């Protein structure tokens, strides 16, 4: 995902500042919460971009969306910087960029598993073990989802890598092979 140069620079500055203040883990959790809030409530972005919405309301909205309190000084200072530079509308992109920087620095891999049906505990455990072995160190943020259109099987995404062991993919490959002959 290309989040852009400006959000990445702000995210890097936030990361360095949070690291200096020893709250990089806490800010990471806030950025995850903030990104999740934007995902759950797409209207957040339109509120931030609305010129008629008050700056104090936007700041309070971003505090709440990140699960922060007013005594979270690093995050509050960062919001003030964004407000002074008229960049509050970039909050979502900055959160995503921060998460990427933090994960890279701490060797955290985002693993997404999508299966045709819910995985059993044994399947989930086996898949986690296989992915962990493939990563050769580091930690995983493991998430699962169900997509019945896969018909059967699963897909695993780790960063830019994707393994597609779904029946729908097999059928697609079979169809392509038959059409090419």
């Amino acid at each position: 995902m290309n989040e852009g140069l400006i959000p990445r620079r702000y995210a890097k500055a936030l990361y360095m500042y949070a690291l200096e203040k020893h709250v990089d883990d806490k800010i990471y959790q806030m950025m995850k919460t903030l990104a999740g809030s934007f995902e759950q409530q797409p209207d957040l972005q339109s509120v931030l971009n609305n010129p008629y919405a008050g700056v104090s309301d936007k700041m309070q909205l971003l505090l709440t969306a990140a699960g922060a309190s007013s005594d979270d000084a690093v995050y509050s200072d960062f919001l003030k910087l964004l407000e002074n530079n008229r960049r509050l509308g970039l909050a979502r992109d900055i959160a995503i960029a921060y998460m990427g920087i933090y994960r890279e620095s701490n060797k955290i891999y985002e693993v997404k598993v999508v299966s045709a049906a819910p995985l059993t505990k044994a399947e989930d455990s086996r898949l986690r073990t296989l992915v962990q072995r493939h990563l050769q160190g580091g930690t995983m943020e493991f998430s699962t989802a169900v997509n019945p259109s896969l018909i059967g099987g699963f897909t695993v995404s780790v960063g830019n890598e994707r393994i597609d062991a779904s029946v729908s993919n097999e059928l697609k490959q079979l169809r392509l092979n038959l059409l090419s002959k």
Side-chain angles (χ1 to χ4, degrees):
M1 174 181 295
N2 182 9
E3 61 272 340
L5 183 61
I6 294 171
R8 181 138 175 93
R9 285 185 177 169
Y10 276 95
K12 188 173 183 180
L14 175 60
Y15 179 71
M16 298 306 287
Y17 184 52
L19 199 58
E20 179 182 307
K21 299 290 185 182
H22 306 290
V23 293
D24 53 316
D25 298 335
K26 186 174 184 180
I27 296 294
Y28 175 65
Q29 293 304 321
M30 287 182 197
M31 293 296 111
K32 282 176 61 175
T33 303
L34 183 62
S37 294
F38 275 100
E39 198 172 298
Q40 292 172 358
Q41 299 292 329
D43 292 338
L44 282 176
Q45 190 63 49
S46 60
V47 171
L48 291 176
N49 293 336
N50 185 343
Y52 298 109
V55 173
S56 62
D57 292 335
K58 291 178 183 181
M59 299 275 279
Q60 188 58 48
L61 182 66
L62 287 172
L63 280 169
T64 304
S69 60
S70 57
D71 66 331
D72 288 319
V74 171
Y75 186 65
S76 295
D77 290 347
F78 184 68
L79 288 181
K80 289 174 191 168
L81 174 71
L82 291 180
E83 188 258 317
N84 288 339
N85 294 333
R86 300 176 192 255
R87 302 283 191 192
L88 288 174
L90 295 176
R92 177 190 169 274
D93 295 335
I94 293 168
I96 291 169
Y98 183 93
M99 291 186 313
I101 292 167
Y102 182 88
R103 285 178 181 138
E104 186 178 322
S105 297
N106 293 285
K107 293 186 180 184
I108 298 172
Y109 299 96
E110 187 177 20
V111 179
K112 294 180 183 176
V113 176
V114 179
S115 58
L119 298 173
T120 65
K121 286 184 180 182
E123 292 168 336
D124 184 77
S125 176
R126 183 160 187 252
L127 202 51
R128 285 176 191 257
T129 303
L130 289 171
V131 172
Q132 186 68 44
R133 193 176 316 139
H134 172 73
L135 296 178
Q136 300 174 347
T139 56
M140 296 186 301
E141 285 185 354
F142 203 86
S143 64
T144 59
V146 175
N147 182 354
S149 70
L150 294 179
I151 303 172
F154 59 89
T155 64
V156 179
S157 300
V158 180
N160 293 332
E161 293 181 65
R162 184 163 188 247
I163 299 169
D164 194 338
S166 65
V167 172
S168 64
N169 183 53
E170 293 296 324
L171 291 172
K172 180 180 167 186
Q173 295 302 321
L174 182 63
R175 182 176 177 265
L176 290 173
N177 284 340
L178 289 172
L179 289 174
S180 68
K181 292 183 180 186

